[in-house]
Amino acid sequence: MTEKNGLLTVENLKVKIGDKEILKGVDLKIGPGEVHAIMGPNGTGKSTLAYALAGKSSYEVTSGSVTMEGENVLEMSPDERARKGLFLAFQYPSEVPGVTVDNFLRVAYNTIKKEELSIWEFRNLLKEKMEFLKIDESFSGRYLNEGFSGGEKKRNEILQMAVLQPKLAVLDETDSGLDIDALQIVAKGVNELLPEDSSVLVITHYQRILRYIKPDFVHVMIEGRIVETGGGELAEKLEEKGYDWLKEKYGESGKDSD
Ligand SMILES: Nc1ncnc2c1ncn2[C@@H]1O[C@H](COP(=O)(O)OP(=O)(O)OP(=O)(O)O)[C@@H](O)[C@H]1O
Ligand SMILES: [Mg+2]
């Protein structure tokens, strides 16, 4: 058995898209209730890691393992992963014409939680979360993401997360495109709308969101590997120094390429 206190354990994960190897051996351990952040230059594989965790089909895992509470995640379908408590906002369709936000969320909720909440029961649950996230009531009757502004989509992702109450929420650049007020509301949602022992993996380019969602660990990904791990101070150092010093230390650029 894998150790009990691990929620998610990723070991030596290698992932290919087509014939290009993107993740070159990622190691990551997330315990219950922990907040982790991954930072790193563009194109380094952060979103690839998130998609691979979600089980997106074009992402081929060539070696390594991913376990959640000791169970092999790589053998699970994307739906099974969601039922197991893994949440990735962007795994949901970006625009669904003809499906309203409240219907979409109720079906997702009932499927994942194996419950049968009625429309009225669900509306109460939804209303409370929407008030917290300062999302206008009229949103629940709108078609999912259709005509939503960038910031509204992001807020809606947090609403999905709040409704589904996952064990692990992976937020890929949820902070991009948010105005300052929205950023604080979203951060407050992450901090206060999840169960105490839920964990969060924040993928971000900016230290700003980490002022509100305090990370226990900050990881840096360079060229498909996590090369450094620290606390909040590492994010500050990156903001100040950029990534060149890490690319020199860990990247391929200095070496001969084929
Ligand atoms: N479908 C695809 N086909 C080919 N290459 C891809 C595909 N998806 C991603 N890649 C490549 O994989 C690499 C990693 O992409 P990824 O989106 O994981 O980077 P990222 O770290 O999230 O970057 P960013 O900070 O810009 O979001 C990039 O070089 C990208 O071009
Ligand atoms: Mg990305």
Side-chain angles (χ1 to χ4, degrees), residues 15 24 28 35 41 54 58 64 66 70 72 74 80 82 101 119 141-142 166 186 192 204 217 221 224 236-237 239 256:
V15 172
K24 299 172 181 167
L28 179 66
V35 176
S58 45
V66 179
N72 184 353
L74 298 176
E80 285 169 329
V101 170
I119 291 176
R142 278 179 64 178
V186 159
E192 293 175 36
T204 183
F217 300 95
M221 188 184 276
E236 280 166 38
K237 190 171 170 188
E239 189 105 340
D256 286 340

Side-chain angles (χ1 to χ4, degrees), residues 141-160:
R142 278 179 64 178
Y143 295 140
L144 188 70
N145 282 345
E146 208 177 81
F148 283 21
S149 80
E152 287 167 351
K153 275 188 194 163
K154 300 286 175 179
R155 234 186 270 210
N156 206 54
E157 288 177 5
I158 299 301
L159 179 64
Q160 291 176 14

Side-chain angles (χ1 to χ4, degrees), residues 17-18 20 22-23 40-49 51 58-59 172-173 203 205 221:
I17 305 174
K20 189 176 170 200
I22 311 287
L23 298 186
N42 292 130
T44 208
K46 304 179 298 297
S47 297
T48 302
L49 174 63
Y51 282 122
S58 45
Y59 294 73
D172 189 0
E173 295 196 35
I203 297 171
H205 281 295
M221 188 184 276

Side-chain angles (χ1 to χ4, degrees), residues 191-211:
N191 290 331
E192 293 175 36
L193 293 179
L194 282 177
E196 192 84 335
D197 60 349
S198 287
S199 310
V200 185
L201 177 61
V202 184
I203 297 171
T204 183
H205 281 295
Y206 304 105
Q207 191 249 346
R208 200 177 57 152
I209 193 171
L210 304 179
R211 267 183 244 152

